[in-house]
Amino acid sequence: GDSVTQMEGPVTLSEEAFLTINCTYTATGYPSLFWYVQYPGEGLQLLLKATKADDKGSNKGFEATYRKETTSFHLEKGSVQVSDSAVYFCARTTGGNNRLAFGKGNQVVVIP
Amino acid sequence: NAGVTQTPKFQVLKTGQSMTLQCAQDMNHNSMYWYRQDPGMGLRLIYYSASEGTTDKGEVPNGYNVSRLNKREFSLRLESAAPSQTSVYFCASSESGVKGNEQFFGPGTRLTVL
């Protein structure tokens, strides 16, 4: 079935460092791709999205480009802040766009 | 505009007890979803409702039932709770039939089954 794979393990980095979180998806259909963020004790909220190949989603300094040739949607930010500490989930549409398949998430901890 | 609301926020049950988790949205969305979140597992879909009057099983439906009461409300029921159902439960809603439409999430219900 449709699935999303995120890199293993938490990510710990210093303030102002460059952040990359890898995400790959199964190449079935023409999915839309999403990054969601979950701050401690809260629900998920949309960070950015892309609906077709070569689209770039961006928000709050975060970016991700829909790469069909490598079935990837990696999340990047050039200079992280302590306030970016959260769990980040990659997701793709599935089941005729009515549902989402999520990756397992990556805990990001930014140290001052 | 409250978005997606869930009640209760926290709940502790004993094995075998039953309870209903409530969810409501005020965005006039057609589709609603119930997920559970467990450490290292991401979000797994329990049930969803593509439109009022329809419900379908997701990835992990066993031990749960749902009711789409009306367009606004979608409840999740545990008939006989088990410790394996200890989790954080999220409700979400979205428009349907639109490419790239995002899901909006509630704040979650933290359930512990002893």
Side-chain angles (χ1 to χ4, degrees):
Chain A
D2 297 334
S3 65
V4 173
T5 302
Q6 291 182 235
M7 53 193 283
E8 293 285 331
V11 178
T12 303
L13 58 169
S14 299
E15 203 164 22
E16 299 183 0
F18 185 87
L19 171 69
T20 298
I21 305 176
N22 290 340
C23 170
T24 57
Y25 62 93
T26 49
T28 52
Y30 301 92
S32 295
L33 304 173
F34 304 83
W35 277 100
Y36 281 83
V37 59
Q38 183 181 31
Y39 298 104
E42 299 184 8
L44 279 71
Q45 54 187 277
L46 181 68
L47 180 59
L48 53 84
K49 69 179 183 183
T51 59
K52 62 183 187 297
D54 301 324
D55 269 2
K56 177 185 283 188
S58 60
N59 185 25
K60 300 181 181 179
F62 290 90
E63 292 183 340
T65 301
Y66 190 142
R67 302 282 188 202
K68 190 176 179 183
E69 63 276 13
T70 54
T71 62
S72 66
F73 192 55
H74 304 323
L75 182 68
E76 297 181 336
K77 186 173 185 181
S79 177
V80 294
Q81 305 300 313
V82 172
S83 57
D84 294 325
S85 297
V87 181
Y88 292 81
F89 293 93
C90 185
R92 61 157 286 167
T93 49
T94 184
N97 290 329
N98 275 333
R99 289 173 278 154
L100 292 177
F102 286 88
K104 293 186 177 180
N106 286 103
Q107 174 83 50
V108 172
V109 177
V110 181
I111 301 169
Chain B
N1 207 355
V4 180
T5 56
Q6 293 182 236
T7 56
K9 291 192 186 311
F10 300 94
Q11 184 72 48
V12 178
L13 294 177
K14 294 180 180 177
T15 297
Q17 288 186 316
S18 62
M19 78 162 295
T20 299
L21 282 65
Q22 307 286 353
C23 173
Q25 53 91 10
D26 62 2
M27 295 172 282
N28 202 37
H29 286 163
N30 288 318
S31 300
M32 298 186 72
Y33 312 83
W34 276 105
Y35 294 91
R36 59 178 289 172
Q37 182 180 26
D38 302 292
M41 300 293 291
L43 272 76
R44 293 182 291 171
L45 183 65
I46 305 171
Y47 270 93
Y48 67 103
S49 171
S51 61
E52 187 179 356
T54 68
T55 60
D56 288 286
K57 294 178 180 179
E59 187 182 350
V60 288
N62 291 346
Y64 305 95
N65 284 300
V66 290
S67 295
R68 184 73 182 266
L69 305 169
N70 48 56
K71 193 171 186 180
R72 289 187 64 247
E73 298 172 289
F74 188 38
S75 63
L76 178 72
R77 183 159 178 85
L78 287 70
E79 289 291 353
S80 178
S84 60
Q85 295 178 304
T86 293
S87 187
V88 182
Y89 292 85
F90 289 101
C91 178
S93 71
S94 72
E95 268 304 337
S96 58
V98 177
K99 186 173 174 60
N101 48 300
E102 67 177 282
Q103 291 185 13
F104 292 81
F105 285 79
T109 295
R110 284 148 182 81
L111 174 67
T112 301
V113 183
L114 302 175

